[in-house]
Amino acid sequence: MKGKAPEESLLALNQQEEVVDLLKDYPLSASEDEEDNDGERKHQKLLETIGRLDGKNRQRLAERSEASLQVSEFSVSTEGTGEKLELAELLAPIKPSSSLGTVKKRLKKVKNKKTVELPLSKEENERIHREAAYNKTSQDMDKWDPVVLKNRRAAQLVFPLEQEQVLDAPIEEVLGAWKARTPLEQEIFNLLHKNKQPLTDPLLTPVEKASLKAMSLEEAKQRRAELQKARALQSYYEAKARRQKKIKSKKFHKVLKKRKAKEVLKQFEKLQKVNPTAALEELEKMEKARMEERMSLKHQNSGKWAKSKAIMAKYDLEARKAMQEQLTKNKELTQKLQVPSDSEHDEDAEEDSTLIPDIVNEVQMSIDGPNPWMQKNRGINTQASHIQKKPVAGEESEPEEEEKAGAEEDALLQEVEERRSLWKGSEVNQGSQKQGLRTKAPKRTEEDKEVLAELRTLSKHINKKAKKVRQVGKQHVSPAPAAPKEPSVQREEQSLLDERPERVQTMEDIESLGMEEVSQEQKQLRPGAERRRQRRQQHNHPEQRSPPKVKQEPMIDLHTIITVKTHKANSSLSFPTIVDEEDCDEEVTQKQIIKEAFAGDDVIADFQKEKCEADKASKPKDIDLSLPGWGQWGGPGLVISARKRRRFLIKAPKATPRKDKCLPNVVISEKRNIQAAAHQVNVLPFPFTHQYQFEETIKTPVGTTWNTQRAFQKLTAPRVVTKPGHIIEPIKEKDVESSSSHLGPPTLQRKAQQHAHHRRRRLKKAP
Amino acid sequence: MKVKMLSRNPDHYVRETKLDLQRVPRNYDPALHPFEVPREYTRALNAVKLERVFAKPFLTSLDGHRDGVNCMAKHPKSLSTVLSGACDGEVRIWNLTKRECIRTLQAHEGFVRGMCAHFCGTSFFTVGDDKTVKQWKMDGPEYGEEEEPLHTILGKTVYTGIDHHWKKDIFATCGQQVDIWDEQRTSPICSMTWGLDSISSVKFNPIETNILGSCASDRNIVLYDMRQATPLKKVILDMRTNTLCWNPMEAFIFTAANEDYNLYTFDMRSLDEPVKVHVDHVSAVLDVDYSPTGKEFVSASFDKSIRIFPIDRIHSREVYHTKRMQHVISVKWTSDSKYILCGSDEMNIRLWKANASEKLGVLTSREKAALNYNQKLKEKFKYHPQISRIARHRHLPKTIYSQIKEQRIMKEARQRKEMNRIKHSKPGSIPFVPEKKKHIVAVVK
């Protein structure tokens, strides 16, 4: 009902409008004389009311079935009284016009409209608002679920959550807020302003600012990887060069040189064909090298070595040979040759290397004693020094540079690239390299000179002595340097052949290679040192030569022991060695001693006896309930019959096996210890479902006694860490964003949403 | 005779620099270090004993107020500054490091009902019984200046509580309705009501800063949303809730301090049942404050004690009391989570350590490691009877002790009665109501 009422009213309104329209369009003339009509209307009304008194009859009278003249203009026929009057019908009889079409449409619309609900009461309205708002906010809150869960589960939380970052605000910004107040300050500022000093302008250029910012993580990683690779490559090349350089065989070097020379020649010829200009340049370089050689007095018997040799040459065949060799070399070099040869150079270096390290190492050996670890280190050091002094052919830079890491990393990268190309190209441009070497030659010779100066006195001494001894020990002196040659040659060949089938690719491989080399080097060094010692002893006691050999033994022996030991440690297959036997012997003797010391008291037997007693005591005993004299005559000499005893004997159940059954030297008491029980947990605590779980947590020790420092720190890390004096702010929106970004793709997020209400349930249970 | 020489790699025993620690080689073979459990147990026992020995939480008492301390506020930027308002309308600002009052001002006539600091720490607000809201500068007046509030708002009714928004220049007061004010205006931006009653406290959510919670004297807790300017939901408890506090790390969790001796931790998304009911107090709980780590909260009670509860525990882990401390009206946990402040009826503010046996000051790394180890051991052996016994032991004043006993007897009696009723009636006719739900009267949407 209520719903209909407004519609009706609306309808009525519309009808009124229509009527007004009608009146405007078709004004009725009859309406002009209203006063006359009034009377008639009253009369008509009266008639109607009278007619109604009878009921239907009167209405029928009003019905007009035939045409008649006496028809009041007001008594319109009441045809279809029962039906509702429709507006459209009202309009219909009048001739259709376009303006009415719109009216009709509007009418239809009005009809189609449904009833409008009554506005809700204020309370209900508010309730709905509240509910909607509550739902919205609680959904909003769901975004905190992952954060809260994460924090609750976190093994360690460090507060304040976001660590303070050191702000590097430029001074201008800091000063921006500051104002000059005192007259002095104002004066100063005025002056500054007059001079147009940059007060607030940024002093830093954008480039500088960019440089202040650190490079991105990925970049840094990439760079680091590159550097690592470069370093590995470099060390590999260094190791290879070192290895080759260490080879003492002259034959090998000769072969190598020849090969190189051949290759160079080939390359040169190729170059001639392909690029004649470049070949010409090469030629020029060679020429220049030759000229330099000519200018310098190298290989011209003017050096110290050459002079000493010259003195020796009269008597010594070898010295003479060396002299001649040098002369020929000089000739070779000074001749105008097409093919350059760097033989003399390397050989020189070779000689130096054979001369210097021996003595240097000898001194160090005497300092450190026979500690192999120290020797190894020393060896590495000397190696390094070698490299520093004489860069191997193919290396252009000095390793000193490389040691300044960081700033020169780029240089390093470049170098490695260069070197790699060099190795690959098998020293195509050796001439240029040689030149490079030449330029560094003076420096090197200086360094060499220092060492040589030290040696000078020694060599003089040797020479003097040698002169004296010459007649007596001519044979002995001469074989001394020759003797180590042969084994060294052998070793070289071995090392040459010992090239591995597997490629050296990783850092570890290279390191292991380095180790091998070091050990090799040590082996090589030792004979040299021995030689020195021999010589010295020869100076002191020219006649005695056997004792030093005897003295060498313990050192070598020591080495074997150590190596054997390490070998044993490394491999499970340990060979029966002398040392082991010795140990066994020692153990046996130790036992013997103990036996002797405790000869009087037999502890072991005592212990076994004790254990046996404990075992017996712990066993359950049979209970004999037989009563003597029961059911038989009593008196002295009473004997219980076996039958009766058997009948009244209650057999004890079989004892459970003792815990110490399999432990021969232990007695474990299985009695319940009341004092200990007070400290024991007698009920399984709540979160654990089984005894083993609980025991497991107790079993694992935490302290430093059982754990390494790092493990200890990890195990004892506190759950919540706070810094004293730092304000802990409430968690921020940022944390949510970061965690949601961790979730990643939207599918995941959707899943998370799906699980949101599950989570909420869990959360409700959790805290 | 052969002489075997020891030779060691110096890398294993030589320090690289003088500042490095000396390397002590150690064999961790478990066979060499037997009895790990008994040894660790002994250590744990010692640790827990030491903890009790060193448990001296009381640091200092700040006296100077001439009436009970009714409310306190933390300085948002300075750890050493604390504000307190007394029942005689006096506000004092304290320096904790010096343990002295640095400023005193007569803020109101009658009680200082509530106070809060502006989030940037430049000013603070007080409300009092004289129907005013006053804003004060945090720094004292300069020489020659008079002690005057920056702004004063005169209201129509008494304001009983105030709290400041955590990020904006907006604050909320409560009294007959919850009003939200802009600092620049003298009339509230909006006021939210739900029924007619006096609201005793209002608190902003520190994380979702647009959400407020209030508790009124007709036993209800109402949540509001500032954005929609409507109340959200109302939960009616057995008895009146005095205050509530939001968890600063978990946006939807808040804890309400109730007159029925309990505290209720709610998840605001499901108010029909509290997440936890924290029992232990033996009188009305008057104030509650969360640790800034969100892992624990402290409650002040009319029973002259304060208790520290872990959020996931029913029972408290610590109870603090002193002979002279009367009904504790307000309590605050400092923002570095190290100390607790409580203001009580007998005009004193007391400073406590949040961790009773914690050593103050700078610790060396070895001390830290030892403390961590001890803590871990205590945790590991906490189920062992001796250790748990020692760790649990607390001294209580006789009144509280006897009251606890009495409460226990009462509770048992109630339980027994309930069980009997269930037992002697038609099965299913008396439903079993879990403890959590017992205290919730209704949730109104």
Side-chain angles (χ1 to χ4, degrees), chain B residues 199-357:
Chain B
I199 296 161
S200 58
S201 106
V202 62
K203 289 280 164 69
F204 271 103
N205 188 330
I207 308 166
E208 287 287 331
T209 45
N210 291 312
I211 290 165
L212 298 109
S214 78
C215 36
S217 54
D218 69 343
R219 307 176 300 164
N220 59 29
I221 300 169
V222 186
L223 301 178
Y224 304 88
D225 194 332
M226 218 174 70
R227 290 165 295 191
Q228 278 135 359
T230 57
L232 298 175
K233 217 170 196 181
K234 183 200 267 187
V235 56
I236 302 169
L237 297 170
D238 257 349
M239 291 176 93
R240 190 178 100 112
T241 301
N242 285 316
T243 43
L244 57 84
C245 186
W246 292 91
N247 190 328
M249 289 293 149
E250 298 174 2
F252 41 78
I253 300 283
F254 67 89
T255 299
N258 204 285
E259 283 279 326
D260 65 355
Y261 315 168
N262 295 341
L263 291 121
Y264 300 94
T265 299
F266 282 98
D267 184 333
M268 77 161 263
R269 297 168 300 178
S270 57
L271 290 172
D272 49 346
E273 187 183 341
V275 180
K276 265 293 183 268
V277 180
H278 308 273
V279 299
D280 262 359
H281 278 298
V282 286
S283 192
V285 190
L286 298 182
D287 200 6
V288 61
D289 194 32
Y290 261 95
S291 151
T293 60
K295 297 278 174 199
E296 286 171 330
F297 62 81
V298 61
S299 64
S301 170
F302 197 74
D303 64 6
K304 305 174 188 176
S305 69
I306 56 175
R307 282 180 186 269
I308 302 170
F309 292 86
I311 51 166
D312 52 353
R313 285 293 146 85
I314 294 169
H315 292 281
S316 59
R317 76 156 169 87
E318 198 71 74
V319 55
Y320 292 160
H321 59 84
T322 61
K323 216 170 188 178
R324 295 184 181 185
M325 188 161 75
Q326 294 302 311
H327 315 302
V328 193
I329 300 171
S330 61
V331 71
K332 282 276 178 274
W333 201 312
T334 56
S335 0
D336 60 348
S337 89
K338 295 276 185 205
Y339 305 100
I340 287 166
L341 285 153
C342 69
S344 46
D345 240 0
E346 88 309 331
M347 307 175 245
N348 278 332
I349 297 167
R350 289 189 168 76
L351 184 66
W352 307 83
K353 285 191 271 186
N355 217 340
S357 60

Side-chain angles (χ1 to χ4, degrees), chain A residues 134 137 142 144 152 679 767, chain B residues 41 208 225 250 268-269 275:
Chain A
Y134 176 74
T137 42
D142 281 347
W144 288 100
R152 278 183 192 167
H679 291 271
Chain B
Y41 175 75
E208 287 287 331
D225 194 332
E250 298 174 2
M268 77 161 263
R269 297 168 300 178
V275 180

Side-chain angles (χ1 to χ4, degrees), chain A residues 84-216:
Chain A
K84 246 184 182 175
L85 182 73
E86 288 196 17
L87 280 168
E89 284 170 10
L90 261 178
L91 296 170
I94 305 158
K95 63 173 180 182
S97 70
S98 60
S99 64
L100 277 179
T102 54
V103 176
K104 271 184 193 171
K105 269 182 193 171
R106 276 162 72 190
L107 273 174
K108 262 187 189 172
K109 261 185 199 170
V110 167
K111 267 187 192 171
N112 289 338
K113 261 184 192 164
K114 276 177 190 169
T115 53
V116 175
E117 294 282 335
L118 263 185
L120 286 176
S121 67
K122 199 188 166 195
E123 286 80 36
E124 275 188 346
N125 206 4
E126 277 180 354
R127 193 174 62 83
I128 289 161
H129 272 290
R130 282 196 302 256
E131 220 172 325
Y134 176 74
N135 287 338
K136 205 185 161 200
T137 42
S138 55
Q139 265 178 5
D140 254 17
M141 285 292 186
D142 281 347
K143 75 182 169 192
W144 288 100
D145 271 339
V147 184
V148 169
L149 265 186
K150 199 187 87 193
N151 283 351
R152 278 183 192 167
R153 285 174 186 165
Q156 188 177 42
L157 278 177
V158 181
F159 292 104
L161 284 175
E162 71 224 57
Q163 301 301 324
E164 282 172 32
Q165 287 163 352
V166 181
L167 293 171
D168 50 344
I171 193 77
E172 311 83 47
E173 282 176 27
V174 179
L175 282 176
W178 191 70
K179 275 184 181 174
R181 275 178 195 151
T182 61
L184 180 67
E185 283 170 353
Q186 278 167 355
E187 226 170 274
I188 291 166
F189 265 72
N190 278 336
L191 276 173
L192 286 173
H193 277 299
K194 273 175 193 169
N195 294 335
K196 288 180 181 174
Q197 286 284 328
L199 280 172
T200 50
D201 302 336
L203 289 174
L204 292 174
T205 60
V207 181
E208 280 170 328
K209 269 185 184 171
S211 72
L212 272 178
K213 285 175 190 169
M215 71 169 92
S216 73

